[in-house]
Amino acid sequence: MANHHYHLARFHQDQSGIWTPPTGAAGIIDLVPPLQDADPQVNYAFVASDVQLDSSDSLHHFGQGDLRELLVDGTAREAWGAITGYLPQGDSLCDVLCDHLTFGSQANGADFTRSLTCGRNRRLEIVLAGESIWSYSLSGMADALAQPILETELESLRDVYRGVLAGEYSEAVYQRCLGGLGIKYQLSQSAELYLPAADPLLPKLQPLIPQTTKAETWPGPGAVTSGQDQPWSVLAGTWAVSGNKVICSTGSGWPQIRLDYDFGGSDLTCQTQLVAGADNTDSIGTILRKDASATATCYANRINGSEQQVLKFIAGSVSNIGSSSTLTITANGVLKGSAIGSTITSYLNAVQTKQVTDTAIASGLRVGLLQLSTASTATDNVLADDGLSGGGGSTPRRNLLHMSLGLRMGL
């Protein structure tokens, strides 16, 4: 984090509905919740960037260095309040950011998009540019942070139910959100309905227990198929682990590895972190809806030079079913794909880059990675889960579901 610049900045929505972050952005935390931005086509956010943003994107530059050591003066505090609607009181930039996310829900701070996750153990964590900048574990419902967190959960739940009414999600997705909340906060059966009871427009349905998240950190050097956090199979190519990263060194066609775990449904999300040094020459992707066979039938989202593609594999035959606009690939960026119903979505650094509709592959309970073999192409940590966990919506704000579903067990 020591080499990043930090800004209050804006980014825009193009005519196709894709949010485009400022060039050079390495991490973004949305500070203004849905429908509260002054301009619906402009999003205001806290941005970490590899270079100082120009004045067309940056509204206030806090400086460069370690986020935990930078201080906020009166001018910066006033700018924060004017832009976001929430006037923070902290002196350090990190404290101001945490203050906004945890206590700003009555102003414009209710959007925890791409920043705050909460697992079954109720550990909160803010991640920016792939690095944890703050963490906290809720001690229980009497905890000082419990109420603002629950208020944000309620907004998340509303967002999910709006998706149900719009036909984006099934009613079971909403029920899994309720079940995740019950597990996360260890609520009783009657108390599980606390959040819907706080809003008469939310239905009080039977909670469903959400399924599982699988995380891979590549701890074992050598073979991909042994010594790792999860069981993996090599479907094509020569793969190895070195320095807690996985790389495909040789292989023709489309080298792939598969996580050998059957999730609880075919609605899947899989993400991986690009290694430092990643650029627009890389070709890396995640695969979704793979079955237990060696046959290449699945969806994939991959970086292809300076664009992101959605691919469809049918019995080994591949077709490109959607490509993003030109992208800038940055070191330590996060590449993510989701398959929710017939909607296949690609993300880069938690910003949606492409979304297509396709019905050819309706089943498949496994995920994986693909790489075109090159000695410089590698990926770091992998995170995958079933159900909705930050993907599938028409805007990046669906990442609020990371909190409601309570799926991040490893945090």
Side-chain angles (χ1 to χ4, degrees):
M1 305 281 301
N3 293 325
H4 284 131
H5 294 264
Y6 300 98
H7 310 259
L8 284 175
R10 54 190 158 207
F11 58 103
H12 300 268
Q13 187 179 43
D14 64 21
Q15 293 181 346
S16 61
I18 301 299
W19 289 97
T20 304
T23 300
I28 296 174
I29 296 179
D30 197 349
L31 295 176
V32 182
L35 305 180
Q36 293 190 33
D37 295 286
D39 183 337
Q41 292 185 313
V42 177
N43 212 342
Y44 297 98
F46 184 83
V47 176
S49 61
D50 297 322
V51 297
Q52 185 170 341
L53 303 180
D54 62 36
S55 58
S56 64
D57 294 319
S58 177
L59 300 171
H60 186 87
H61 181 224
F62 295 100
Q64 182 181 18
D66 191 329
L67 180 62
R68 305 170 190 85
E69 297 177 359
L70 292 177
L71 298 179
V72 176
D73 59 20
T75 300
R77 192 175 292 108
E78 290 177 5
W80 193 292
I83 294 167
T84 72
Y86 180 71
L87 185 64
Q89 303 302 314
D91 293 322
S92 78
L93 185 53
C94 187
D95 287 346
V96 165
L97 184 60
C98 299
D99 186 35
H100 180 109
L101 291 176
T102 52
F103 294 106
S105 58
Q106 298 307 310
N108 283 342
D111 194 349
F112 288 73
T113 311
R114 301 178 294 281
S115 57
L116 183 63
T117 60
C118 186
R120 291 191 179 192
N121 59 6
R122 294 173 289 177
R123 179 171 180 264
L124 309 176
E125 185 175 32
I126 297 176
V127 178
L128 181 64
E131 191 169 340
S132 175
I133 61 173
W134 178 84
S135 63
Y136 182 84
S137 293
L138 291 176
S139 59
M141 297 306 293
D143 193 294
L145 286 181
Q147 189 60 37
I149 295 302
L150 282 174
E151 289 171 355
T152 302
E153 301 278 26
L154 178 58
E155 181 55 41
S156 302
L157 206 55
R158 293 190 188 105
D159 198 35
V160 175
Y161 193 60
R162 282 193 289 267
V164 174
L165 294 177
E168 297 179 44
Y169 317 135
S170 69
E171 198 171 73
V173 172
Y174 174 81
Q175 292 175 279
R176 284 201 298 269
C177 291
L178 294 178
L181 291 171
I183 293 173
K184 186 194 309 184
Y185 295 108
Q186 299 176 356
L187 303 175
S188 66
Q189 179 67 22
S190 59
E192 278 183 1
L193 304 181
Y194 162 77
L195 288 174
D199 186 335
L201 298 180
L202 291 175
K204 301 173 181 61
L205 302 180
Q206 179 66 32
L208 297 176
I209 302 303
Q211 299 297 321
T212 306
T213 293
K214 292 292 183 181
E216 179 60 72
T217 61
W218 309 112
V224 171
T225 53
S226 64
Q228 312 310 325
D229 297 322
Q230 308 295 337
W232 294 84
S233 290
V234 175
L235 303 180
T238 302
W239 295 71
V241 174
S242 177
N244 301 118
K245 298 173 179 61
V246 64
I247 186 169
C248 176
S249 58
T250 61
S252 59
W254 298 89
Q256 298 181 4
I257 56 174
R258 181 190 64 212
L259 173 62
D260 288 331
Y261 177 82
D262 286 334
F263 284 94
S266 59
D267 285 353
L268 298 167
T269 297
C270 183
Q271 70 178 44
T272 188
Q273 185 176 14
L274 309 177
V275 300
D279 57 28
N280 285 13
T281 67
D282 288 335
S283 185
I284 301 170
T286 62
I287 62 176
L288 303 158
R289 290 189 180 162
K290 182 71 187 72
D291 60 17
S293 74
T295 304
T297 296
C298 58
Y299 290 111
N301 98 4
R302 71 146 180 167
I303 293 170
N304 180 39
S306 59
E307 68 177 9
Q308 203 165 353
Q309 295 177 336
V310 180
L311 304 178
K312 176 171 61 177
F313 290 83
I314 302 292
S317 177
V318 62
S319 57
N320 177 8
I321 58 176
S323 297
S324 71
S325 55
T326 301
L327 301 170
T328 299
I329 311 304
T330 58
N332 299 315
V334 176
L335 170 68
K336 181 171 68 173
S338 70
I340 309 297
S342 61
T343 302
I344 317 301
T345 311
S346 294
Y347 301 86
L348 183 63
N349 295 328
V351 176
Q352 180 182 304
T353 58
K354 188 64 180 178
Q355 187 173 78
V356 301
T357 299
D358 191 86
T359 59
I361 307 172
S363 60
L365 305 177
R366 301 189 180 189
V367 301
L369 299 177
L370 65 82
Q371 292 181 9
L372 295 193
S373 55
T374 167
S376 64
T377 299
T379 58
D380 205 331
N381 297 346
V382 177
L383 184 69
D385 51 54
D386 50 5
L388 278 171
S389 61
S394 58
T395 75
R397 293 188 170 102
R398 294 296 181 198
N399 288 325
L400 288 166
L401 301 181
H402 273 315
M403 297 188 63
S404 284
L405 286 170
L407 293 173
R408 292 284 188 97
M409 302 179 204
L411 293 179

